[in-house]
Amino acid sequence: MDPLRPQREVVEEAGRALREGLLVAFPTETVYGLGAHALKAEAVARVFLVKGRPPDNPVIVHVGYPEDVEVVAREVPKAALLLMARFWPGPLTLVLPRSPAVPDVTTAGLDTVAVRMPSHPVALAIIRAAGVPVAAPSANRSGGPSPTRAEHVLEDLGPDLDVVVDGGPCPIGVESTVLDLTGEEPLLLRPGGVAKEALEAVLGRPIRLGRGEEAARSPGTRHRHYAPRAQVMVVPGPELEAAARRFTAQGKRVGVIATRPIALPAGCHVRVMTNGLPQYARELFHILREMDRLGCDVVIAEAVEEKGLGLAIMDRLRRAAAR
Ligand code: TXA
Ligand code: MG
């Protein structure tokens, strides 16, 4: 459907399906989500089953209005209110104390819940039509690249879903930023669509990145993530060409993601992101899937500076590269 003018009947039907406990995939501004009634344990359990998601990895609960955060969170700290006022609706997920209304499967048994209000008109309309909080992890098979187009969702999960709403490509392309507000100080658990610098400006303090022990607070960061079949390598711009030549010489089929046009050996598949970090983020997961389809053995991606959206891009690339 038209991403800017969601059709009423389709929205109502998708909302009804969610309310009844069915699985509905829909576009958000970040990636496609696989939605289920967040308060119905059986519906959320089916999400884990269909995705092949480890049961210790909680899902994000999506709300249609800021006030609805109170349905799923026991307490909303002042920092959360500040951030919600500035970044909701949008790609910011807040980890808050969980309300007893939220079943264990949704939060993987944690005493906290991750909540966000998406800004995509189709996502918002469907969640509002459902009239219930909607649990929605990315609508991909667990471990693979996230889906940024309806085709990706159909490729990965098509036969197992009840409804797939096609609203075109997702405008941001990497997932929401996840910020934990349940500890002594705010902790960035996953960089994403809202820049860390923008959060720091609103909170008036530096934000630490959750690492090691703390990363366990966002269980998803422990699992294999975003990886296509091809081996992924992240290299600085000046080394791209040499790396591509080395693998081509070994008889490998090579894909390259670069930020500027470069000379490459014949047979390399190259995608050039001349429109900056937003384009890199928007197209990254699509390109990783495309390179698999082209039969690439290796994808060599140009590293970017870890500032703004660059932090999220590098996070996804590193995880895709980890074996
Ligand atoms: O942009 C997004 O956030 C997309 C769209 C669909 O909204 N959703 C998404 O969901 O990326 P998912 O399930 O693929 O990633 C959720 C992340 C995981 O890393 C998970 O561990 C973390 O959020 N998370 C969920 N609940 C949490 C909690 N209570 N505490 C800490 N981390 C949590
Ligand atoms: Mg995911």
Side-chain angles (χ1 to χ4, degrees), residues 57-69:
N57 188 7
V59 297
I60 295 172
V61 176
H62 297 65
V63 294
Y65 301 93
E67 307 84 85
D68 290 350
V69 72

Side-chain angles (χ1 to χ4, degrees), residues 4-22:
L4 299 179
R5 268 176 300 278
Q7 292 138 257
R8 207 59 247 168
E9 325 80 72
V10 183
V11 164
E12 287 302 332
E13 191 182 331
R16 186 166 356 100
L18 282 168
R19 202 160 51 243
E20 286 170 357
L22 299 179

Side-chain angles (χ1 to χ4, degrees), residues 141-165:
R141 214 166 273 299
S142 202
S146 297
T148 50
R149 303 180 180 207
E151 304 91 88
H152 303 160
V153 178
L154 292 170
E155 254 163 50
D156 274 20
L157 310 172
D160 294 325
L161 303 182
D162 300 307
V163 180
V164 178
V165 178

Side-chain angles (χ1 to χ4, degrees), residues 51 53 137-138 140 146 175 190 225-226:
K51 272 184 63 89
R53 185 180 181 95
S138 49
N140 56 300
S146 297
E175 297 87 342
R190 179 178 73 182
H225 253 101
Y226 313 116

Side-chain angles (χ1 to χ4, degrees), residues 197-223:
E197 296 85 344
L199 299 175
E200 291 173 334
V202 169
L203 293 182
R205 60 183 295 177
I207 295 173
R208 281 200 311 125
L209 289 145
R211 289 248 160 83
E213 272 285 283
E214 289 153 351
R217 283 211 229 166
S218 201
T221 57
R222 287 197 307 264
H223 302 288

